[in-house]
Amino acid sequence: MILIPAKRAYTSTIPERTLAWLAYTAPAMKLIRIVCLLSLVAFCSATLLAQNSFTVGTATAAAGQKATGTLEVPAGVDAATSIPVVVVRGNKSGPVLALVSGAHGTEYASIIALEKVIQSLDPTQVSGTVIILPLVNIASFEQKVPHVNPVDGKSMNRFYPGKQDGTQTERVSYAITKQVVERCDYLVDYHGGDIDENLRPYSYWPKSGDAKHDAITRDMVLAFGLDHIIVWSDRPKDPAASRYLDNTANTRGKPAIAVEAGYSGTVQTDDVALLANGTLSLMRYLKTLPGAPAMVEHPVWLGKVDTVTSDQPGIFYPVVQRGTYVEAGMKIGYVTDYFGKTIYEAHAPAAGVVLYICGVPSMKKGDTVANIGEITTNP
Ligand SMILES: [Zn+2]
């Protein structure tokens, strides 16, 4: 039992001088108390705001906000670069979804699709957070250089998880690994046919062997809505040598997929819509947007991809289109010398669908003529 002394007995022991001092300081104490209270409220609000906001690079979005900024990659052995980043912070809690496009800066439809997504997302409708990097390879985009980053000649989707002291591509990959991949829960990497690739839309299902993880990524490709899906089961398993962006996320336990649409430098409405609407459908599957996703009901699973390369340099003529279904042995194109004499004929090594075929006459020895996807009924 705790004995509490009677109040009167207690106050009666305070000397009169103390009482006079208390009376004198009471208004000041009240003021101090109010100031302290206000400071506490301000501190708590700032803390809550900090807890509620999400920052990537220089972009900080509070709940219900869409913020823009840049991911600064400082100069090293070569030039610095500054990658645009958007953070959409929902009013309600939910997962962090990362959307990354333009590792290949001339796969235009995928870049424009994310520009549309940036405009269409309303933070008040979003649950969780969306990080959007619409254009990773700015030098490729500005200089119209396909496949690589012209600063160091490297593909910006082959050097993950990157290196802090490497060339620009490796430093960018490192920054994205640290600031985007490690902080997200799900990721989508957007690609398409490059300037020289006549491509039909498809996505990749990265089958890792982990049944729980694979069930989520399988649902993600179905929710995204592209009906031709490559089953990719031989991606590197080592997180320290993940090479590809989606694989960098998957090897770190974050379900990720890659999607492709667009071809030959074009920005077709259909391709942009496939990627933009696919993103919104995937967000509905992840419950980051209200509504039900539109899942692919009858996917065409592609168990193996055959790459046909030219064994001669010269002028390439395709004889099939992107998306054409071919039988094994069918002629898909040919190469002539500069006098018009046929010096090489390309044939499909197996039955399947032409995922993409070279879209320009330029052909070097060893260049890709086409990628053929072999259909599997048992993915
Ligand atoms: Zn690409």
mmCIF file of all heavy atoms in Angstrom, residues 104 107 191-192 260, ligand 1:
data_model
loop_
_atom_site.group_PDB
_atom_site.id
_atom_site.type_symbol
_atom_site.label_atom_id
_atom_site.label_comp_id
_atom_site.label_asym_id
_atom_site.label_seq_id
_atom_site.Cartn_x
_atom_site.Cartn_y
_atom_site.Cartn_z
ATOM 1 N N HIS A 104 17.285 0.698 -71.685
ATOM 2 C CA HIS A 104 17.635 0.844 -73.096
ATOM 3 C C HIS A 104 16.826 2.048 -73.591
ATOM 4 O O HIS A 104 15.606 1.957 -73.767
ATOM 5 C CB HIS A 104 17.318 -0.459 -73.843
ATOM 6 C CG HIS A 104 18.048 -1.633 -73.263
ATOM 7 N ND1 HIS A 104 17.435 -2.818 -72.919
ATOM 8 C CD2 HIS A 104 19.353 -1.760 -72.918
ATOM 9 C CE1 HIS A 104 18.344 -3.638 -72.398
ATOM 10 N NE2 HIS A 104 19.512 -3.018 -72.385
ATOM 11 N N GLU A 107 14.074 2.155 -76.459
ATOM 12 C CA GLU A 107 12.892 1.283 -76.435
ATOM 13 C C GLU A 107 11.732 2.188 -76.001
ATOM 14 O O GLU A 107 11.219 2.115 -74.883
ATOM 15 C CB GLU A 107 13.132 0.095 -75.498
ATOM 16 C CG GLU A 107 14.259 -0.800 -76.023
ATOM 17 C CD GLU A 107 14.661 -1.933 -75.093
ATOM 18 O OE1 GLU A 107 14.141 -2.036 -73.966
ATOM 19 O OE2 GLU A 107 15.531 -2.727 -75.501
ATOM 20 N N HIS A 191 10.724 -3.078 -70.961
ATOM 21 C CA HIS A 191 11.559 -3.050 -72.162
ATOM 22 C C HIS A 191 10.653 -3.095 -73.390
ATOM 23 O O HIS A 191 9.429 -2.997 -73.288
ATOM 24 C CB HIS A 191 12.541 -4.234 -72.165
ATOM 25 C CG HIS A 191 13.597 -4.109 -71.116
ATOM 26 N ND1 HIS A 191 14.850 -3.597 -71.370
ATOM 27 C CD2 HIS A 191 13.575 -4.404 -69.783
ATOM 28 C CE1 HIS A 191 15.557 -3.588 -70.244
ATOM 29 N NE2 HIS A 191 14.803 -4.070 -69.268
ATOM 30 N N GLY A 192 11.291 -3.284 -74.561
ATOM 31 C CA GLY A 192 10.543 -3.412 -75.806
ATOM 32 C C GLY A 192 11.521 -3.671 -76.922
ATOM 33 O O GLY A 192 12.732 -3.801 -76.681
ATOM 34 N N GLU A 260 7.766 -6.524 -72.103
ATOM 35 C CA GLU A 260 8.266 -5.903 -73.337
ATOM 36 C C GLU A 260 7.114 -5.595 -74.278
ATOM 37 O O GLU A 260 6.262 -6.445 -74.533
ATOM 38 C CB GLU A 260 9.209 -6.864 -74.075
ATOM 39 C CG GLU A 260 10.334 -7.421 -73.220
ATOM 40 C CD GLU A 260 11.702 -7.332 -73.878
ATOM 41 O OE1 GLU A 260 11.836 -6.602 -74.890
ATOM 42 O OE2 GLU A 260 12.620 -7.974 -73.376
HETATM 43 ZN ZN ZN B 1 15.571 -3.506 -73.289
#
